Amino acid sequence: MRALSIPARQSPRQNRLLAALAEEDYARLLPHLELVPMPRGRVLNESGDAQGHVFFPTSSIVSEFRIMEDGSSAQIAVAGNEGAIGVALFMGGESTLSRAVVYSAGFGYRLGSSVLKAEFTQGAALQPLLLRYTQALMTQTAQTAVCNRHHSVEQQLCRLLLLSLDRLVFSEMTLSHELIADMLGVRREGVTEAAGKLRAAGLIDYGRGHITAFDRQKLEAAVCECYAVVRAEYERLLPQAGHPSSWQPSRIAPVTPAAAPRGHFVHDAVAQG
């Protein structure tokens, strides 16, 4: 696994929950926030394990999976720079049945469980912020279950790509068809077929392991209502008026296949194989 080089500028404020804190509350947490690399494939917590930290991604994206007895899995939520991993710690559960795995490499900050619990016990500013985030996360989890039951693989793939775009601070990401299949809880062949349909419709254009054209407007038109429901709940619960941490999904300008030069990757998201 390739080691991640630390960018020159890294700050906990790149996580929108931490950015929403007042200076006094932020200064109290800052000495306890530890910068950690989050390479693709890193497991932040396993199902049933006690959680020693809560993670605040800054440039990485994490998928939470539910693993079945036969080894099959499905994604129940994603979290990036808008949120946190480890909500069981402040909800009193200490552990969770989900498995958290980094699927877009980057960085984040972790906070020890004892510090987090002390903040909650004191009723500090982080408490209501994390509770609102948890409500938004619950909406995403519930809507994902509905989406997986009622919507096509193409719509589910559009939802996954849009949720990823919303959390990107860079324009390159790698996902294999096999991993996407695990995340959506479908067969790999279904992902390949769905990606082919999206390319034929002009929504994406990918080569060997890369998307070379990505039209967000067409994706938003093709996705099911589940994406809009989740996004609206995050916007309702998490924005801070007048603060740079307001939850604003990233925007990537459409690139037509003809205009995309060979080797230019707008969004490296769907990897073959």
Side-chain angles (χ1 to χ4, degrees), residues 6 28 35 42 59 62 89 133 166 208 232 255 259 273:
I6 300 177
R28 187 172 59 253
L35 177 65
R42 177 179 176 180
S59 56
V62 181
L89 276 175
Y133 169 71
D166 289 347
R208 184 173 178 80
V255 177

Side-chain angles (χ1 to χ4, degrees), residues 37-57:
M38 294 187 178
R40 186 164 58 97
R42 177 179 176 180
V43 178
L44 300 184
N45 63 255
E46 285 283 8
S47 173
D49 288 352
Q51 297 180 322
H53 299 86
V54 61
F55 293 84
F56 297 93

